[in-house]
Every structure is written in C-alpha cells, then in structure tokens.
Amino acid sequence: MNFKNNNLSSVFFMLSLFFFGSCYKDHSNKDLAPTNKIDITDAKAASQFVVFQGDSLKLKPTLSQSLSSNISQLEFTWIVYNNNGAVSLAAPRIEISKDYELKYLVKGDPFILGEPYIVRLGVKDKTTGVTSYLNYSVLIGNKYGTGWLVLEDKAGKGDLSFVFTDFTAEHGIYTDRNTAAITGPRKLEITPFPVTDDISTTGKRLYILADNGSQEYNYLTMVKKFDYGFLFFSAPAIQNPTVMTWTSQYTYSGVRSAALGIAINNGKLHSNLVGGFPGVKKWGDVALNPQGNQNYSLAPYVVGGETYPAIVYDNTSKRFYRIQAYNPTPVAGTLEVFPSGSTSGVSSVFDMNDVGMTMLFQDSADVVNDYNAIMKSVDNQAYLLRYKTKNSATAPTITLGKTLMNAPGILNYSAAAGSTTTPHIYYGNANILSRYETSSNAVVETYSFPIGENITAIKYTKGYYDKKGPRLAVATWNGSAGKVYYFAINANGAIGSYTNVVSGFSKIVDLVYKY
Amino acid sequence: MEKIVKKTVLLFLLILAFASCTKNKELLFDEANLVYVEYQDSTDYTFATRPAAVVMDSIVVSYRIIGSVSAKDRQIKLVPTAATTAKAGYHYKVGTAVIKANEFSSKVPIYVYRRPGLKDSSLVVVLQVAENEDFKPGFPKRLNYKFTLTDVLKKPSNWETTWVSYFGSYSEVKFKFLITATGKTDWNSSPLPQDSRYLSQKARNALLEYNQTYGPLIDENGQQVFFP
C-alpha cells in the first residue's frame, strides 16, 4: 500500500514540476508579433513574355502592405540573371534598378538575344528587414526576325533598313549598331540554313559585300562579327567580293544543311568546307582552273545541288565549272570540268564545258534544282540557258534548254529575279518592270513606275510569312529617294498592281527577305 | 522453459533488427590514384621545319588520372628510361607536371632546345610515369611517352599515307617548299578535311607563283617539283 502511495506521490510531484515550470516568464525574442506583410503581384509574372532588343522593359507590379501604407519604408531592388538551364546556377545576378517601377532599355549587356532571363523584384521592409520577391520570366526577342532587310547606298556609304511584315520600316539600323563604315555597298548575302563553321555559334549567316572591307554580321542583331579577311585562312591581297554564300548538298528530315561555302573575290573562287568534323572552317586559297592557273574570271553567281554542290561560270573561258564539297582528293576545291562523253556526259543541249557566251544573270527556276542563266553571245544576242544541278548515272544530262530570248531590254537590265513557282523571270530596265515567260519566250506583262523612278533591285520570295502566295519586292530610285514596292504574285505569276509601297530609303542596292 | 526460449528468440530478433540498421559503407573508389598518358604516346619533333630563330619549343603531353579528384595539386613523376639518348636539362626539360586540384587531367609541357648537335643526329626521349606519393603508374601500356628530337629535315612518318595524295612523291626540296609556302610546322599528324584542302590550294598557288617567277622548281633528284 505504501509502495502504491509512494508512486502516486512521485507522479504528482512530477506533474507539479511541469505545471509550475510552465509559469516561468519567457525572456526570449521568439514572440509571434505581427509584421508588415508585403504582397507583390502582377499578371505578367504568370508566364514568360518576350521583350525585343531595343525596346524598354517596363514593369510595375501591384504592391500592398498589411500594416502600413508608407512606401518610403520599402527598398526596391531589381536584379536580372540568365535563366538558361545550362548556366542559370552560375549566372551572375546583376542589379538593374532601385526604383519601384522598372524602365530598362534592353540593349546589350546583360541581355543576350534569344536567351531567357529572370527579372526579379525584391521589396524589403527596412523596419523589419523582411523581403518579398516577384519573378518575371523574360525572353529577349528579335523584332528583326522576319521582314525585308534593305541595303542602301548613302553617298557611297552603306546602311541598312528593315521593313517589317506590316510594311512599316525602320531606317539607319546599320549605323545605329556598328561603327565600321561600309564603303561602296554591293550586296546582301544571307543563308537560309544554319552553318556550323566553328568560328562562331552555329546559325544563319549574314554577309554584306562592299567595294572593300566586307564583313560578316550577326544574323539576328546585325552587329558586325568579323572582317572579310578573318573569314579566310589567308586573307586575299585584293578584296573585291562579289559572292559569299553557302550551298546545300543534302536535306535531312526536310531541313537543308550547308555543305560548301563559295566566295568569289576579284573573280576568283575560294571555297569553305563544313560537315560535322572538328576544327575552324574558313575560306581557302584561290582555286586553280584545270590548267593549273588563275586565268579565269567568275560571274557573280553560284548555284548548287545534290549532285553538283557548286557550279560557277567563267566569263574568260566562257564555260561552266563545278566544285566538289568533301572529297579526299587533291582536286577537291579546284575548278573542275564537267564529265563528257557518250555515257557520262552531262551536256546535250549546250556544252557546259564550252558555252562561248558571257553570263549576265542567273537565278533559280520554277523546278527544284533547275536554274536559268541569261547569257550574252558574241553578237550581242541574249540567250536563256537552262540546266540542273542533279542528275543520275543513268540520266547524266543536266543541260535542259538554250533559247534565243525575246525579251526587250534584257541585255541592259538593271535588276532581275527568277520565280521559283512559275516559269518567269522578272527584270527591270529603267522604270519598266517586265515579266518574261521562259516557257513561251515572251514578255507577257509589264508594269511602269513613274518616269525617272528607275529599278535598282528586285527580289522574289516564295515562302512569305503569311503563306498567301509569293511576293515580289522592287526597289526604285528617282535620284533623290528610294522606295520599295511590293507585289502579290498570283498563281500564274502575274504582277498586277503593287499592294504596298514603303518609302524613306536612300538608293537601294540590294534587299533580301529575312526569316 | 518455453517462456525462456520465446524470450531468447525475441531478444535475438530484436538484436538482429537493430543490427541491420547499421549504415552501409558507401561503394566508392578507394584504391590508390593512378596516372597514365591520355592520348598520343609518341611524336617526331624536328626543328628543321621551324624558322632559324626558333631555339626552343614545347611538346604538350596529356596525362589523365584513374581515381578521384583531389582538393590539392598532385605531382606526376616522369623519369627518362634507359632508351633515352637526349640529355635532360640540355636537350629537353619536363615542365610543370601537375594534376591540379579538382581536375582529372593535365597537359604537361616538355620543353625542347635547338642544340648544335641536332643538326646531324636524332635523339630519343622516353618519359615514363613513376610512382610517387601522389600517384602510382596507371595502365601498363600507357605509361611511356616517346619522342624523337632532331634538327634534320625528316620525311614525315605519314607522308605515304596522308600527304602523298595531295603532294605526290617526297623530296626534301618539295618538303621545304611546302613548309615555307604554308607555314605549317607539324606534318606528322593527320589534317582535318578543311586544313588539307587549304594546304593543297596554298601550295599549288605558291608553286604556280614560284614557277612563273623563277622557272621550274627542281628537287635534289633533278626532278621538277609538281603536285598531282
């Protein structure tokens, strides 16, 4: 009995200790006193949004405080960091503002075109030290992604304009972002497919050719990347570029890939080989002709396809040459003759190895792998040669047609473009735009611009962004101002009347559809 | 009695159950760290392909470890074998041979010196990985790095397999011309496609220019130099 009473006493004693122990006054600083709660919200933070380079990033979230309305006790900090999965952990956090409302011009550092970023607002209550955060997910976009890039000659110096798909234009793009002057602008060259040359990041290429000092530019930002000479293993002594482009020999999963780079400088050929192997790829030295010398002068055109990755025309010997892409033979990279003979010969309608005329113009035809070349004979007649870049062992012939052209003014054309959907070549002569039909050998339509407004450049694009048919862009110059007229080409290739006109240009030298 | 047996079995099971809670030892590599030659195990070096002003150059050899990285730099011990005929410190000198902290591999420079005796002789250096406090030798067949050292113009070891298709049969005059025309000094390795293409173009243009300026280039065998 006593033992039982002792146990009960002990339990009672312990409970008493707990009970009185809980009455001890708390001197700690762990009180649950309410603090000012800052709430930051913004519907824009719910998902990623795009900001174009050159635009201002403007953000002003809604702010609320639970215990105060005094904004002066808050400290605002906007930071930004790259949110690319490959680098985000290591990406530096860069402070871009201390204001409540963000207004930040997206141009250059820390923003890189095409990269995702987190823009984070931190709001700190200076009284409590508590900070609330709100993250915005931002993708830096390029408003120059789709549209017409226009190369102008401003008193001998080159500049770029951009015509957006809504036919608004932005001028002075080149001078806005580059310091090196383009002297004597000649031509724009862009690649429709990415190039992996291990000189810079894989992507499309943009070259601007000029009388001298031609350069490679960032395809997206149009900021200068490299001097012309840097793109060669040995810089050419004379810089007189007329062609700098890439041909595609193969298509993988519907996507073309670059195989062979062709540069024509001072009439001589330089080639560049890419194809997945490591190492820096640059344009090589001057290619020799089959006679082992440099006595040739190439017309400023190159075409390429599956069988023949590059075909060029020599206006000195008045003949075509072919250039091989990857081939472990010493002749690969030189000018080579076309196969001849009864079984493997490629020539039937005319001789690719002996044309005997001067090339004036060349462009794609309305059949894939087919090309139209406008030639001038020794007796000043215009001929249309048609050939293809793909053949087979059983059907080796690539020559398709030779026609004495019935195209008034073609020998003195100022600009031209071939249609890739209908059998037409559009060409300009003074202020007259003509549609020459290759199938009927006749000019079937003309369009007259105002007298004195002469055509300086023409470009045809089949894959226009709205997928509502091809467009023809025609640049004109009246001696003081340049314009670009846009024509919606119908299924028969008809020009009709222009649908849009954009003005405010200097003399337009060239234009390309960028996509 | 039955109660005692039951209690004993229960106690045993309890001991067993708690014993199984012991933390497993992690299965990590805890052998001695090893090091070996990572890539190419030999080369032929000649100063004859370099301009006369070059009196010192370097050959870079890659070494890689087997085992874990370390928080500190670790030394690789390289010793010349008995096959070595060059004099250490005079003909060659091994540079800093260290696997840096937190790294798996290292490029070790071996400095070579253009000495007068190399004009008419070829020396051999075989550097072998030896054991030290940081590393033991790795793969037995990848412990040696061998190089020959000379100032004599030697036919590249891969001429007949690589260069013959671009430049034809070998001659010393042709090889010297190629070195001058292209500026290329290392002819013992296989070129990438874009490089061989460029070298071929560059050499052909240089020979064309030479022949137009000075007449045909004739080699030591009395043959005109040409490229196929």
Side-chain angles (χ1 to χ4, degrees), chain A residues 49-59 78-83 92 94-97 102-120 136-141 218 221 223:
Chain A
F49 59 94
V50 176
V51 178
F52 292 128
Q53 278 199 328
D55 287 354
S56 282
L57 175 60
K58 296 177 181 174
L59 296 171
W78 291 89
I79 62 152
V80 60
Y81 64 90
N82 190 310
N83 194 36
I94 297 162
E95 185 179 304
I96 56 173
S97 177
L102 179 69
K103 287 180 185 172
Y104 190 85
L105 181 63
V106 177
K107 191 174 184 182
D109 288 338
F111 294 104
I112 298 169
L113 183 62
E115 287 289 296
Y117 288 87
I118 293 293
V119 176
R120 174 179 295 161
Y136 292 90
S137 182
V138 177
L139 180 70
I140 306 305
N218 185 306
T221 64
V223 173

Side-chain angles (χ1 to χ4, degrees), chain B residues 37-44 59-63 142 144-146 157 186 188-190:
Chain B
V37 179
E38 188 174 13
Y39 299 122
Q40 189 185 5
D41 63 356
S42 66
T43 193
D44 295 316
I59 299 167
V60 177
V61 187
S62 289
Y63 289 91
R142 297 178 70 174
N144 290 348
Y145 185 83
K146 176 185 175 182
S157 54
D186 177 14
N188 289 311
S189 57
S190 294

Side-chain angles (χ1 to χ4, degrees), chain A residues 151-164:
Chain A
L151 177 64
E152 297 158 87
D153 186 333
K154 295 179 175 175
K157 302 294 182 191
D159 204 346
L160 294 172
S161 290
F162 197 86
V163 180
F164 300 97

Side-chain angles (χ1 to χ4, degrees), chain B residues 59-105:
Chain B
I59 299 167
V60 177
V61 187
S62 289
Y63 289 91
R64 188 171 183 84
I65 65 166
I66 302 170
S68 306
V69 295
S70 168
K72 66 178 183 66
D73 291 357
R74 291 178 290 177
Q75 294 286 333
I76 307 169
K77 187 177 181 184
L78 300 172
V79 294
T81 68
T84 298
T85 55
K87 190 175 175 185
Y90 180 73
H91 292 114
Y92 76 95
K93 183 180 157 188
V94 178
T96 306
V98 165
I99 301 285
K100 289 194 170 174
N102 301 314
E103 292 190 6
F104 288 96
S105 62

Side-chain angles (χ1 to χ4, degrees), chain A residues 187 243 247 264 298-304 310-314 319-321 338 350 352 355 358-365 369-375 383-389 410 413 415-419 425 458-459:
Chain A
K187 190 178 184 184
V243 169
T247 65
I264 298 176
L298 299 182
Y301 304 98
V302 58
V303 299
I311 295 176
V312 292
Y313 190 83
D314 176 15
R319 53 163 300 163
F320 288 96
Y321 286 115
F338 283 90
F350 60 91
M352 293 290 284
V355 177
T358 301
M359 180 178 280
L360 299 180
F361 175 74
Q362 185 173 254
D363 206 353
S364 304
N369 293 317
D370 285 12
Y371 293 89
N372 287 319
I374 297 174
M375 315 295 291
Y383 280 85
L384 180 72
L385 301 184
R386 188 171 172 121
Y387 66 96
K388 59 184 180 179
T389 56
I410 189 68
Y413 82 102
S419 168
I425 295 172
I458 303 176
K459 278 293 160 65

Side-chain angles (χ1 to χ4, degrees), chain B residues 6-113:
Chain B
K6 274 185 178 174
K7 282 185 177 177
T8 307
V9 169
L10 190 66
L11 183 67
F12 181 74
L13 285 172
L14 273 171
I15 290 170
L16 205 63
F18 285 104
S20 65
C21 292
T22 312
K23 191 176 181 183
N24 265 344
K25 193 182 175 188
E26 289 177 348
L27 295 172
L28 293 175
F29 180 89
D30 59 356
E31 301 297 320
N33 286 295
L34 312 171
V35 67
Y36 63 96
V37 179
E38 188 174 13
Y39 299 122
Q40 189 185 5
D41 63 356
S42 66
T43 193
D44 295 316
Y45 184 94
T46 176
F47 278 104
T49 59
R50 275 73 176 173
V54 175
V55 294
M56 190 194 93
D57 202 352
S58 62
I59 299 167
V60 177
V61 187
S62 289
Y63 289 91
R64 188 171 183 84
I65 65 166
I66 302 170
S68 306
V69 295
S70 168
K72 66 178 183 66
D73 291 357
R74 291 178 290 177
Q75 294 286 333
I76 307 169
K77 187 177 181 184
L78 300 172
V79 294
T81 68
T84 298
T85 55
K87 190 175 175 185
Y90 180 73
H91 292 114
Y92 76 95
K93 183 180 157 188
V94 178
T96 306
V98 165
I99 301 285
K100 289 194 170 174
N102 301 314
E103 292 190 6
F104 288 96
S105 62
S106 175
K107 293 185 186 305
V108 175
I110 299 167
Y111 301 105
V112 290
Y113 301 94

Side-chain angles (χ1 to χ4, degrees), chain A residues 51-73:
Chain A
V51 178
F52 292 128
Q53 278 199 328
D55 287 354
S56 282
L57 175 60
K58 296 177 181 174
L59 296 171
K60 187 180 182 182
T62 304
L63 189 69
S64 64
Q65 302 180 74
S66 61
L67 299 178
S68 170
S69 58
N70 184 6
I71 201 168
S72 64
Q73 69 176 18

